[in-house]
Amino acid sequence: MTGSGRRAAVRRPGAAGAGAPQVLLLHGLGGGNLAWAPLAARVGDDWRLWEALLPWAPGGDATWSHHVPASSWVADAVRAVDGGPDVVVAHSFSATLVLELLTTAEVPPPKALVLVAPFHRARAEDFDRASVALSLAHVDAVLEEGLRAPRGDRATRASPEVVRRMGRWARERIGPYGWARFFGSYLGTPFLDLAELRTPTLVVAGEDDVAATAEQCRELTRRLPAGRVEVLAGCGHFPMTQAPVRFAEVVRGFVESTVPVAA
């Protein structure tokens, strides 16, 4: 339960086979569940998809960052899945929060984990004034990239100026406390004890991502005992919408080779 008395909203799946894996989808900072629509369309009823609508989605509770660690919202979402998720698929900020939760054993580990464009650095010295300033400079670009990316089967038709205004609005809505929560989690990634995280983990990176770079994703994979990385060409921070067919193929192949399907 969060300090504001609210829980993360989790949408239950529709009909699926009894043996279908339970897959929890967690969107990133300023994002929403429309980004998962291409994946959902391709797995159909083969998976039981649970979608968490976290408070840092557009139109969410703007005070989410005032009361508790952001990871508490993700923990609520994990606990809302009946019997627990077999697989957690998390994007961006939420991917970093999932690693926090699993390394502190706050929630049981799933059978498999997919981290999409996670924010991570392997060494504390990787953060300096210049790198933090660069991360801040990328904020608007990444938010605008998310707005330009297709949502479901629809691409935005907004003009560049409208997209810029929407990006600035999203940045301001996240606010100083939200950005402090984000950077607090990001700055903590070198200190996560990943050596004991035995969960099979797929890290999906965009080759052209300027925020959570492909090399940083490779570094994260090297720290994970059961990690592997897939870098998708022609993608930035949103590979699930920028290369939806390839993304679905990679994620589906990983999940179905990792999670046993009950008879």
Side-chain angles (χ1 to χ4, degrees):
M1 179 71 71
T2 66
S4 61
R6 298 181 175 90
R7 290 185 183 275
V10 178
R11 189 172 72 181
R12 293 171 177 270
Q22 297 209 114
V23 180
L24 175 62
L25 304 173
L26 301 170
H27 63 78
L29 186 63
N33 285 322
L34 279 175
W36 301 119
L39 176 65
R42 286 165 175 81
V43 300
D45 290 335
D46 294 339
W47 296 357
R48 300 189 70 226
L49 292 175
W50 298 71
E51 295 181 345
L53 187 61
L54 298 160
W56 44 83
D61 179 3
T63 66
W64 65 267
S65 58
H66 294 180
H67 305 285
V68 296
S71 58
S72 295
W73 291 95
V74 173
D76 280 349
V78 171
R79 296 183 186 115
V81 177
D82 295 340
D86 297 307
V87 184
V88 174
V89 181
H91 178 235
S92 191
F93 177 47
S94 290
T96 302
L97 297 177
V98 167
L99 287 177
E100 284 184 20
L101 290 172
L102 294 178
T103 55
T104 58
E106 189 173 338
V107 295
K111 295 174 183 174
L113 184 61
V114 179
L115 305 176
V116 185
F119 284 94
H120 168 271
R121 297 202 181 191
R123 296 165 295 275
E125 56 268 28
D126 290 343
F127 290 102
D128 55 22
R129 183 172 180 175
S131 65
V132 171
L134 187 60
S135 293
L136 285 168
H138 287 151
V139 163
D140 284 358
V142 169
L143 289 172
E144 290 174 21
E145 182 184 346
L147 292 167
R148 288 193 303 269
R151 293 171 175 259
D153 292 326
R154 295 173 292 125
T156 181
R157 293 181 172 84
S159 69
E161 178 55 31
V162 168
V163 169
R164 280 193 292 272
R165 289 203 302 268
M166 291 169 66
R168 288 195 295 269
W169 177 87
R171 180 194 63 198
E172 295 305 317
R173 184 169 176 80
I174 292 166
Y177 287 96
W179 292 116
R181 296 289 189 191
F182 165 74
F183 276 104
S185 293
Y186 193 11
L187 289 166
T189 54
F191 309 110
L192 296 177
D193 183 8
L194 301 178
E196 298 304 316
L197 184 57
R198 304 291 174 179
T199 303
T201 302
L202 171 66
V203 179
V204 182
E207 183 180 48
D208 303 325
D209 194 341
V210 298
T213 68
E215 183 51 39
Q216 289 165 11
C217 290
R218 292 187 184 99
E219 286 188 334
L220 170 57
T221 306
R222 289 192 283 268
R223 295 183 66 198
L224 294 167
R228 52 167 282 200
V229 66
E230 189 79 31
V231 179
L232 301 189
C235 292
H237 197 62
F238 299 85
M240 60 280 210
T241 57
Q242 293 164 332
V245 175
R246 180 61 181 149
F247 179 84
E249 289 174 348
V250 167
V251 172
R252 183 168 190 157
F254 171 74
V255 169
E256 295 181 356
S257 66
T258 306
V259 178
V261 177

